[in-house]
Every structure is written in structure tokens, then in C-alpha cells.
Amino acid sequence: MSTEPTQVAERPAEAAPPPAGHAPRFWSPRRAPAALAAAVLLVASAAFLYDIGAVRAHHPAMHWRRVLARQLATRPLDDTWVLTGAGVAAAVGVWLLALALTPGLRDVLPMRRSHPDVRAGLRRDAAAMSLRDRAMEISGVRRVRVRLGRSRARVLAVSQFRDLDEVRADLDAALTDAIEGLGLAHPPRLTLHVIRPGRKD
């Protein structure tokens, strides 16, 4: 009879999925601003390096650098052109910082994550169309306008017949269920208005 120990393979525990509401926004690659900034920096750096190399090789500095150095040395700090250039540089810097620190892609709403390695998003116009189609299924609804933001879904419905309170109750139940069915990580709050034809909200 064999007395060798029996080896039992244990399956590693799977990582617990993140909480339902934990889903950060999608970040935009921002290719156009990055390419523009890189191109400007590349051209400016190449021009300065070429001019410095020419000076080191005992050639005269390029005309534009001589003019720039003369202007920077002679113009006072409160000169209009100096203030304008500083304002433009500061505005461009703030714009680049905003692009670097903000996610972008506001049209893509993050969905709940059921697996830590899988992320999904839903376009805002598609979600709004889904809510509109769901609202149009309610009896008495003639027209629907949906404005979907990151935190609020504003719905304006026009009811041609039926009591407005009944239509509002049916719409509230249907749209609340539809918003939950979208599977968004941060479901927007519903703001519902029901009016008669001819009125403007």
C-alpha cells in the first residue's frame, strides 16, 4: 500500500469585482492637442539648436534671434506686446493643464463593472434614444424630448390624451426602470415634465 502524500491542487481565489458604482470616466487620448504641442516644441527647439550650433561654428546668429533678443532687452515689462504675449502663453498653459488633468470623452458614460479587467461605456446619445423609445411606449405620449447629462436625465413629454397625472406616473415608473436597465455606474436622477400640446416648457 502506497504511503506517498496526496497532492491537492488549490484553485487561486479570483479577485473580487469592484463595487458597482466604482467606474471612472474614460480618458480621451487628446491626439490633436498633443501632436500640435509636440510639433510646436519640435520646430522651436530645432530652430534654437540650429542657431546655437551656427554661433558655435563662428557664424553670425540668425536675424530672428537677434531681433528677439533686442526686443526682450529693450521693451519694458508693462509694454502692451509683452503683456499680450504673457497672457497668450498663460492661456495656452492653462489649456494644456486642463487637457492633462481632465478625462474628456463626456459623451461616453461608464457602465457598471462586473469584472475588474473589463470596462464598458455607453454613448450618451444612445442612452437618450433608449429612454425616448421607452417613453414613447406609454399610452397617451405624443412626443418626448430627452436631455441626458452625467448626473441628471431631463425628460419633457407631450401627452395628447389621458390624465397628466396618470401619464406622469406611468412615465416615472417606466423611465426609472429604463435608467436602471442601462447599467450605468452612476445612474442619472430623473427630472420629468409632462405637458399638453401647444404649451412650452
Side-chain angles (χ1 to χ4, degrees):
M1 182 175 180
S2 175
T3 59
E4 294 181 358
T6 304
Q7 295 182 353
V8 179
E10 295 183 359
R11 184 178 180 181
E14 296 182 356
H22 181 73
R25 287 174 55 188
F26 290 87
W27 281 76
S28 171
R30 304 262 169 72
R31 294 186 180 90
L36 179 61
V40 171
L41 291 176
L42 178 63
V43 171
S45 301
F48 276 105
L49 286 175
Y50 176 80
D51 190 59
I52 292 173
V55 172
R56 292 287 185 179
H58 306 290
H59 292 285
M62 298 183 69
H63 176 70
W64 65 267
R65 193 162 75 93
R66 294 198 304 269
V67 172
L68 179 61
R70 188 183 312 115
Q71 293 293 335
L72 292 176
T74 58
R75 286 185 180 272
L77 294 179
D78 58 351
D79 184 77
T80 303
W81 286 105
V82 174
L83 295 177
T84 301
V88 171
V92 172
V94 171
W95 176 61
L96 292 176
L97 283 175
L99 291 179
L101 299 177
T102 54
L105 290 182
R106 297 182 61 86
D107 289 338
V108 180
L109 302 174
M111 302 180 69
R112 286 192 295 266
R113 300 178 66 176
S114 58
H115 193 279
D117 296 330
V118 178
R119 294 188 64 194
L122 182 63
R123 290 189 61 86
R124 191 176 301 183
D125 53 356
M129 185 177 297
S130 176
L131 297 181
R132 179 185 177 278
D133 293 342
R134 186 67 176 271
M136 290 297 295
E137 296 175 357
I138 302 301
S139 176
V141 175
R142 176 182 178 184
R143 187 170 62 253
V144 179
R145 185 178 66 191
V146 179
R147 292 181 179 176
L148 183 61
R150 292 186 60 239
S151 61
R152 188 173 298 276
R154 295 176 174 85
V155 179
L156 175 63
V158 178
S159 177
Q160 191 170 8
F161 58 91
R162 291 184 66 197
D163 183 72
L164 291 183
D165 291 335
E166 295 179 0
V167 176
R168 186 178 294 106
D170 291 346
L171 281 172
D172 184 75
L175 292 176
T176 300
D177 182 69
I179 290 175
E180 182 63 26
L182 293 176
L184 299 178
H186 307 284
R189 295 188 299 274
L190 176 63
T191 301
L192 177 62
H193 297 282
V194 183
I195 61 175
R196 291 295 186 192
R199 286 186 53 189
K200 293 184 178 180
D201 187 72

